């Protein structure tokens, strides 16, 4: 039956071999000390006080509304993102985690990550976070150089960023990520490599190293800074990747590098088309139903609306049609440098690999996809021209 003969509804995918994927949770805390000029995330400058209690209650009510999507699965990872989640007290995070544990349950080896900025670091506070079971930090450094930090609107300095890494270890975190940008305003190759060397010296287990892009609805969009030329950006990328590899940081995703065995499990679940609950103002999620339907959902964006019981929670949701699934799946998994086993396509979508055959042949002929029937993995050229590769699988 076609979509047209079915009253316009999308044809459901075949589900004979579909398996419910692992389940993670993303929890969005939308407040930060100050909005950065490059940031297009749903973040809002905090006032004199944060509505912690009201927001915790709203998050747990949000989770209650989504409980039917859990399907007896336990959470394999939780990621507190923002904004700046470390603005919340340990007691507020404890109530969130305990509520999630009671309602869903945690895998024995669950990974729980908290985003933090150096300017919000307090060692006693972070010891409390660690005692709650939060076992991974992601520290938003972006740069160690005063001029670059000023251009980015950051509220910390380079010394604070270094102290933050020291305090993370002192608080008991043996697994932490540093977020670092390159391609910053008027940045030279040596500037970028200097930042990267300082970051490596802090011995993080994971580095997110990504190029600054100017996004709509940001201050940088309306007042663009002077960014490096393309040739400089290419030199930074090549030299930086070589430096990271020389220090044992393997690239496993477009902008993610990790020591052996320290890849972010939350990220891997996302990029392998796993399911995740999206909790909090503006949060997005994805879930798979036992009948094979796959949906994306998103919550109301403004914190004041999210806190209003009459306006929360689900701003929208969309069922992915059968012909959209190949593109949606590949848009995620092809960001991974090693790709995924080909059979994961059927396990995650319930669809036959035959649906990818025509696009695969074209992609392999263009040198964008490796000619390995057992894996779906982009070639180095395909990684560089990922958008061109994905276009071959559009419905």
């Amino acid at each position: 039956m076609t979509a047209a003969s079915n009253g316009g509804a999308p044809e459901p995918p075949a589900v004979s071999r579909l398996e419910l994927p692992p389940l993670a949770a993303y929890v969005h805390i939308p407040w930060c000390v100050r909005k950065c000029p490059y940031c297009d995330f749903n973040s809002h400058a905090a006032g004199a006080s944060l509505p912690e209690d009201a927001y915790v209650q709203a998050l747990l009510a949000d989770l209650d509304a989504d409980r039917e999507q859990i399907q007896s699965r336990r959470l394999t990872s939780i990621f507190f993102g923002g904004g700046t989640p470390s603005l919340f007290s340990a007691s507020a995070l404890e109530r969130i985690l305990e509520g999630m544990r009671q309602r869903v349950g945690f895998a024995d080896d669950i990974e729980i990550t908290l985003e933090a900025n150096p300017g919000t670091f307090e060692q006693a506070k972070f010891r409390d976070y660690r005692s709650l079971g939060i076992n991974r930090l992601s520290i938003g450094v972006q740069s160690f150089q005063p001029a670059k930090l000023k251009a980015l609107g950051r509220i910390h300095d380079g010394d604070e960023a270094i102290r933050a890494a020291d305090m993370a270890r002192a608080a008991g975190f043996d697994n932490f990520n540093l977020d670092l940008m390159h391609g910053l305003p008027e940045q030279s190759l040596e500037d970028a490599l200097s930042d990267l060397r300082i970051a490596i010296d802090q011995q993080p287990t994971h580095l997110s190293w990504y190029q600054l892009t100017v996004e709509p609805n940001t201050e940088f969009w309306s007042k663009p800074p002077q960014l490096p030329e393309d040739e400089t950006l290419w030199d930074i990328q090549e030299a930086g990747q070589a430096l990271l590899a020389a220090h044992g940081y393997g690239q496993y995703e477009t902008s993610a590098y990790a020591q052996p065995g320290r890849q972010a499990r939350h990220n891997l679940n996302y990029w392998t088309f796993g399911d995740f609950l999206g909790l909090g103002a503006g949060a997005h999620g994805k879930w798979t139903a036992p009948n094979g339907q796959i949906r994306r959902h998103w919550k109301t964006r403004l914190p004041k609306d999210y806190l209003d019981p009459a306006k929360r929670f689900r701003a929208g949701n969309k069922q992915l049609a059968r012909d959209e699934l190949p593109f949606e799946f590949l848009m995620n998994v092809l960001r991974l440098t090693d790709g995924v086993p080909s059979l994961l396509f059927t396990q995650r979508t319930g669809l036959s690999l035959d649906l990818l055959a025509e696009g695969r042949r074209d992609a392999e002929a263009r040198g964008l996809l490796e000619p390995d029937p057992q894996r779906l993995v982009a070639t180095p050229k395909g990684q560089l021209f990922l958008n061109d590769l994905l276009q071959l699988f559009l419905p």
Side-chain angles (χ1 to χ4, degrees):
M1 181 182 291
T2 65
S5 63
N6 194 28
E11 183 179 341
V15 298
S16 58
R17 287 169 289 177
L18 181 140
E19 302 174 7
L20 286 180
L23 180 68
Y26 173 77
V27 182
H28 191 71
I29 309 293
W31 294 282
C32 52
V33 175
R34 184 173 66 191
K35 182 81 171 179
C36 295
Y38 60 85
C39 178
D40 68 333
F41 295 146
N42 183 33
S43 59
H44 307 265
S49 62
L50 293 175
E52 278 193 349
D53 290 341
Y55 199 74
V56 170
Q57 292 174 17
L59 283 170
L60 296 180
D62 190 358
L63 177 56
D64 285 334
D66 284 351
R67 284 178 73 178
E68 65 187 76
Q69 315 304 332
I70 294 166
Q71 304 295 335
S72 301
R73 290 172 289 180
R74 295 192 296 169
L75 292 173
T76 60
S77 68
I78 300 170
F79 193 102
F80 288 94
T84 307
S86 54
L87 291 176
F88 265 33
S89 66
S91 62
L93 294 178
E94 181 178 25
R95 294 197 300 276
I96 296 169
L97 286 171
E98 186 55 32
M100 297 177 79
R101 191 192 315 272
Q102 291 175 357
R103 289 164 171 80
V104 189
F106 296 172
D108 292 339
D109 61 346
I110 187 170
E111 175 191 270
I112 305 177
T113 301
L114 179 80
E115 281 188 339
N117 287 330
T120 65
F121 257 78
E122 301 172 29
Q123 190 163 320
K125 189 176 180 181
F126 278 79
R127 283 202 183 99
D128 290 340
Y129 290 158
R130 185 67 188 89
S131 71
L132 300 180
I134 296 171
N135 50 23
R136 186 173 181 272
L137 291 178
S138 183
I139 306 171
V141 171
Q142 313 313 351
S143 177
F144 294 92
Q145 299 170 26
K148 300 298 183 283
L149 289 168
K150 182 179 180 180
L152 293 172
R154 304 296 287 175
I155 62 172
H156 67 273
D157 59 32
D159 289 340
E160 283 181 303
I162 292 171
R163 286 197 298 272
D166 291 338
M167 284 193 286
R169 278 187 289 267
F173 288 95
D174 62 356
N175 189 15
F176 67 93
N177 168 68
L178 295 182
D179 260 357
L180 198 67
M181 284 184 176
H182 61 88
L184 304 181
E186 301 181 7
Q187 187 179 49
S188 67
L189 171 61
E190 188 48 46
D191 286 340
L193 293 181
S194 174
D195 267 350
L196 201 49
R197 291 188 189 101
I198 295 172
I200 290 169
D201 285 345
Q202 309 319 306
Q203 300 181 328
T205 49
H206 190 284
L207 270 162
S208 295
W209 188 59
Y210 52 96
Q211 183 178 321
L212 170 65
T213 55
V214 176
E215 302 288 354
N217 302 314
T218 65
E219 185 179 330
F220 274 2
W221 184 262
S222 58
K223 300 175 183 177
Q226 183 65 46
L227 299 181
E229 299 290 336
D230 287 345
E231 184 177 348
T232 300
L233 292 174
W234 179 254
D235 290 343
I236 289 172
Q237 186 74 29
E238 280 199 316
Q241 287 178 331
L243 181 63
L244 285 161
H247 285 83
Y249 291 91
Q251 183 180 14
Y252 69 96
E253 189 263 333
T254 303
S255 57
Y257 303 79
Q259 293 178 347
R262 293 294 197 165
Q263 296 89 344
R265 278 183 276 155
H266 189 85
N267 292 359
L268 286 175
N269 181 66
Y270 186 86
W271 299 125
T272 55
F273 215 52
D275 280 358
F276 53 100
L277 301 171
L279 305 173
H284 286 238
K286 168 199 170 269
W287 55 54
T288 306
N291 67 358
Q293 292 182 349
I294 298 175
R295 307 189 77 89
R296 294 197 180 276
H297 66 94
W298 52 96
K299 307 300 171 62
T300 187
R301 181 178 176 85
L302 293 178
K304 67 180 181 64
D305 290 340
Y306 186 80
L307 292 170
D308 184 347
K311 297 180 179 178
R312 70 173 67 137
F313 294 105
R314 196 174 300 165
N317 72 93
K318 178 192 177 190
Q319 179 180 323
L320 298 179
R322 180 180 187 272
D323 62 356
E324 293 178 296
L325 287 173
F327 178 84
E328 287 277 339
F329 176 84
L330 293 170
M331 180 175 63
N332 289 279
V333 303
L334 292 181
R335 289 181 62 97
L336 295 169
T337 54
D338 290 335
V340 295
S342 298
L343 288 178
L344 189 69
F345 175 71
T346 297
Q347 292 168 353
R348 291 288 191 265
T349 68
L351 301 176
S352 169
L353 274 166
D354 292 342
L355 288 176
L356 302 181
E358 182 178 350
R360 276 188 92 152
R361 284 194 295 270
D362 200 355
E364 290 172 8
R366 299 185 191 196
L368 301 175
L369 203 66
E370 296 287 358
D372 181 352
Q374 303 304 315
R375 295 194 68 79
L376 289 163
V377 54
T379 63
K381 179 182 176 183
Q383 287 283 335
L384 286 174
F385 299 100
L386 192 55
N387 286 338
D388 293 338
L389 170 55
L390 292 172
Q391 294 296 314
L392 301 177
F393 295 93
L394 280 172

